[in-house]
Amino acid sequence: MEAARLLTPDYTVSRYPDAAGTLPARLYGKNQAQARWEAAQEVLRWVETSLGT
């Protein structure tokens, strides 16, 4: 799933903030944030469908 691949590095940075090499908030602009939001929604829809909810 492409959406999950997009979000994987973000998980790493959120779990290990030092991995970013900078303040994690500085890594994202509006466009990147919007893309991550949409990817997260896609993953959530996939999970809900898979669980039958």
Side-chain angles (χ1 to χ4, degrees):
M1 163 177 270
E2 189 61 34
R5 277 191 286 275
L6 176 67
L7 294 171
T8 298
D10 300 311
Y11 165 77
T12 303
V13 170
S14 69
R15 182 75 170 96
Y16 307 102
D18 291 343
T22 186
L23 184 64
R26 292 186 179 149
L27 297 174
Y28 305 99
K30 185 175 182 174
N31 292 336
Q32 291 89 352
Q34 184 65 36
R36 295 332 189 267
W37 176 254
E38 291 169 5
Q41 289 177 317
E42 183 180 337
V43 170
L44 182 57
R45 282 191 298 273
W46 178 83
V47 169
E48 289 173 340
T49 300
S50 296
L51 293 175
T53 58

